[in-house]
Amino acid sequence: MNAKLLHIPADIIETIVENAFEWLVVVDRKGMIIYINHNYCEFLEVNREETIGRHVTEVIENTRMHIVAKTGKEELADLQFIKGNYMIANRVPIIKNGEVIAAFGTVFFRDTQEWMKMDSHVKSLLTRMQPYIQKIDSGVKYTLDDILGESQQIISLKEKVKMVSNSDISILIRGESGTGKELFAHSIHQLSSRSQKPFIKVNCGAIPENLLESELFGYEEGAFTGAKKGGKKGKFQLANGGTLFLDEIGDMPLSMQVKLLRALQDGEIEPIGSTKSISVDVRIIAATNRPLENMIEEKRFREDLFYRINVVPFSVPTLRERAEDLTLLIAHFIDKVTNRLGKRIAGIDRNVMEILKSYSWPGNIRELENVIEAAVHLTKGEQITLDSLPDYLQTQTAIYRFNNKKLKDIVEETEKWVLMQSLERNSDDKVLVGKELGVSRSTLYEKLNKYSLL
């Protein structure tokens, strides 16, 4: 093999060396440059002929090549700051007859962002192998492959996930209820460097105000009546080293917003009943379907907290805005439900598909999945028909719903349906429902009471 290598023409060897590495430099045992490839010279803005014979420290900023050539100790995947950016470099000694005669250095990633993008890409590929390898239980249920869609909005968002996952910056995911915000939160954690650490979710709207502080920060033994013996760790401590997902953060009371902001700014929490602070290292991902800017104006959400969590904003589109994904999602949910039930569904009636496509889907993907599941259960044959759909969905087409009905009944039925959709869109926030529909508080409550929607 060595004999064959000796017969490779010098120009071929030079071409290989020039292109095998992005940047390559070779120094002798004294640290003098004996070779540097063209790409590296272009980046450094130096003339190659003039660098040969110069000490490496005179040419490359913050280099350690001369140290490796002297000590004979290799340095792999080391960060090196060059021209305002961190590079990822390898430095390897060249040894002959047990003696260091030179050293070569390579840069595989020209900046840390390049590395993080590659790392996220590799992790994304590995998620497809999860059924075949041992799954690490970090609290993550979903990966990027669980986010279905071929629309440009979804493709762009998934690329954005890969770009920001490996950083520690805070992320705010916004979108209507049922759009899949939690799937994006799980995917970001799963592709991050914190993926081996816990992913802890807190639903800020589901926990009573008087319990939220102890849930987030924990408490010491004897902190209050009914406190557990030995105390209890809060979600911040449980998520230490990993990710804390603050779902429905727009529902967090103002009093807790102040304490949360302090914890994020200081990187410390103070359990209830404790006299000392505890350092925590968590990455924050928050999600909301609330109009936070309006809530800031109404003094219902702190502006300083908003800017703290909204470093990288994500806006998840509604199902209405990605209508081209509807057919794909319907097919996916039919397969999912039928595989679980062992039921055969061969297709969907054309009129049913028209209704599904014309419907506005205020509950988004969550509502679509529920509708398909109900339809599969209610289908008697092998095709989903109009009778399989929930009654409220059939109101989307008057030909099926309003035949032989009085105008008064049609108006009331439509009014009730509009109220139900607005309540779902605004997560039962009556103030927002009133504003959306343009009715007074007293009128709204009168109608909600009429249709038993309170």
Side-chain angles (χ1 to χ4, degrees), residues 203-209 212 246-257 287-292 295 300-301 305 426-429 432:
N203 190 321
C204 301
I207 302 172
E209 182 175 353
L212 188 55
L246 299 173
D247 198 12
E248 307 297 350
I249 195 169
D251 294 331
M252 179 177 283
L254 274 171
S255 59
M256 275 306 305
Q257 292 178 30
T288 185
N289 62 355
R290 301 288 195 193
L292 295 185
M295 294 176 68
R300 294 198 289 159
F301 199 85
L305 177 59
N426 294 288
S427 300
D428 291 326
D429 189 320
L432 295 178

Side-chain angles (χ1 to χ4, degrees), residues 25 40 43-44 55-68 75 78-91 105-107:
V25 63
Y40 211 165
F43 170 73
L44 296 172
H55 197 271
V56 68
T57 57
E58 299 175 9
V59 179
I60 302 175
E61 182 183 1
N62 297 314
T63 183
R64 290 176 54 83
M65 287 297 301
H66 58 300
I67 298 173
V68 172
E75 298 177 353
D78 189 42
L79 286 178
Q80 182 176 342
F81 191 77
I82 307 178
K83 296 181 72 171
N85 213 339
Y86 281 101
M87 318 292 179
I88 299 178
N90 290 339
R91 308 179 191 97
T106 59
V107 173

Side-chain angles (χ1 to χ4, degrees), residues 121-141:
H121 178 65
V122 171
K123 286 180 178 175
S124 178
L125 292 175
L126 285 174
T127 61
R128 300 173 190 178
M129 299 172 60
Q130 285 301 317
Y132 310 103
I133 61 178
Q134 184 177 2
K135 195 168 184 178
I136 298 168
D137 185 15
S138 62
V140 173
K141 298 178 182 177

Side-chain angles (χ1 to χ4, degrees), residues 8-18:
I8 297 177
D11 57 340
I12 293 179
I13 293 177
E14 184 177 356
T15 300
I16 293 172
V17 172
E18 278 288 323

